[in-house]
Amino acid sequence: MRTPPNIADRASLDRNRSRMTATFMLDAVADEIQERLIEVNRPFNAPAIVSGQPEYWARHFPDAVQVTDTDLLALDAGRHDLVIHAMSMHWANDPIGQIVQSRHALKPDGLFLGAMFGGQTLHELRSVLAEAESRVTGGLSPRVAPMAEIRDLGALLQRSGMALPVADAMPLNVTYEDAWALMRDLRAMGEANALSQRLRKPTRRAVFAEAAKLYAEHFSDADGRIRATFEVIFLTGWAPDESQQKPLRPGSATTRLADALGAKELNLPQTDD
């Protein structure tokens, strides 16, 4: 079996998370998760939450088992009717492994709900940092965690063996006074650079100054504030169960579409090729 690449420096990631003081993004996601669970309209008596901020999620889901998002999840097979993977999969070395482990922890017809940053997140910051570093130093270094696009994450959900898989995105657009304020906020969110391949020596201040200048030039509103995009992708799937709806076999329909729509069926004239 192929060993997944080591994306995050776990010690740095844990340190960044321990310093988290800004929770507005987690608050928005927690509210959205609560709304989605209400729409499911069923009780969950054995929930578990996988995350890197167990203290935060325990306040919102006090009855849930809190599980740290390590490569090997401390989840018991078939124990839970709900597993929420909360805002940490973008740091996972093996996202498909995280989903598969979550599925194995579900009872039949149990619900998996994942939330993570998607590929459009901080695309403005990524582009200006790359251009600034290239201009100032003549090279590039990893600075933002790699985040998958929604279709790729949807494919992972299907590969994991989940039934009724759905992937959708919630864009969140935030404005800041300048790029410096954005970068301070990312540190306060616990989302500072923790990549294992990151530059290990301090970055020259000139790189950030150039990035701030480029940001203001390319991504400013009329009032001078800069825009920052955060894309949260939600993955929903169910542990397979015989009670679930299944698609009909192709060709098994017993009613014509025209009859179902109450429309008159027209015979098209034949044409010679």
Side-chain angles (χ1 to χ4, degrees):
M1 182 179 294
R2 183 180 63 87
T3 302
N6 189 29
I7 293 175
D9 175 351
R10 189 71 202 197
S12 296
L13 181 59
D14 290 343
R15 182 176 61 249
N16 292 346
R17 289 169 167 177
S18 71
R19 298 171 178 172
M20 183 183 72
T21 57
T23 64
F24 74 93
M25 189 63 60
L26 293 184
D27 294 341
V29 173
D31 289 344
E32 180 66 18
I33 289 174
Q34 295 279 18
E35 288 291 331
R36 288 170 182 247
L37 293 178
I38 290 171
E39 290 176 1
V40 171
N41 193 28
R42 78 156 63 169
F44 294 101
N45 301 313
I49 299 182
V50 178
S51 78
Q53 305 91 0
E55 297 85 1
Y56 174 88
W57 291 101
R59 294 196 296 271
H60 287 267
F61 296 88
D63 298 328
V65 173
Q66 300 295 327
V67 177
T68 304
D69 62 333
T70 51
D71 289 343
L72 184 60
L73 300 177
L75 288 168
D76 295 331
R79 178 181 174 186
H80 301 283
D81 55 6
L82 170 66
V83 174
I84 299 172
H85 206 300
M87 294 304 290
S88 62
M89 206 180 299
H90 55 283
W91 286 112
N93 294 324
D94 183 16
I96 182 65
Q98 295 284 301
I99 300 174
V100 168
Q101 291 180 76
S102 299
R103 179 177 64 80
H104 287 163
L106 289 169
K107 299 177 180 180
D109 203 32
L111 174 63
F112 170 78
L113 179 56
M116 72 221 70
F117 284 130
Q120 294 305 304
T121 299
L122 298 176
H123 68 86
E124 305 95 343
L125 181 62
R126 281 182 285 168
S127 66
V128 298
L129 278 174
E131 184 174 351
E133 188 171 21
S134 180
R135 286 186 183 183
V136 174
T137 70
L140 290 175
S141 59
R143 296 191 175 276
V144 179
M147 289 168 275
E149 299 295 336
I150 185 170
R151 59 186 170 187
D152 299 324
L153 290 169
L156 292 185
L157 194 61
Q158 290 182 312
R159 285 175 52 197
S160 72
M162 293 282 187
L164 309 174
V166 176
D168 64 283
M170 179 177 76
L172 296 170
N173 300 307
V174 186
T175 64
Y176 290 90
E177 181 180 354
D178 52 32
W180 300 103
L182 167 59
M183 289 185 280
R184 285 194 299 271
D185 213 10
L186 291 176
R187 287 193 294 272
M189 292 164 59
E191 294 290 344
N193 190 353
L195 294 170
S196 59
Q197 299 300 315
R198 72 189 185 280
L199 191 68
R200 296 293 175 153
K201 60 183 179 180
T203 299
R204 293 166 56 183
R205 185 174 175 82
V207 172
F208 294 121
E210 181 69 14
K213 175 185 146 190
L214 290 170
Y215 211 131
E217 289 175 356
H218 297 294
F219 302 108
S220 288
D221 288 334
D223 59 2
R225 293 177 65 84
I226 63 162
R227 304 183 299 276
T229 299
F230 293 90
E231 179 189 43
V232 180
I233 293 177
F234 290 91
L235 301 179
T236 306
W238 298 82
D241 185 69
E242 287 300 318
S243 66
Q244 293 164 348
Q245 294 180 340
K246 295 177 177 60
L248 294 175
R249 187 177 65 258
S252 62
T254 58
T255 303
R256 297 185 308 159
L257 179 61
D259 294 338
L261 297 176
K264 183 179 180 181
E265 187 173 3
L266 299 177
N267 294 320
L268 297 178
Q270 298 292 325
T271 59
D272 296 327
D273 294 332

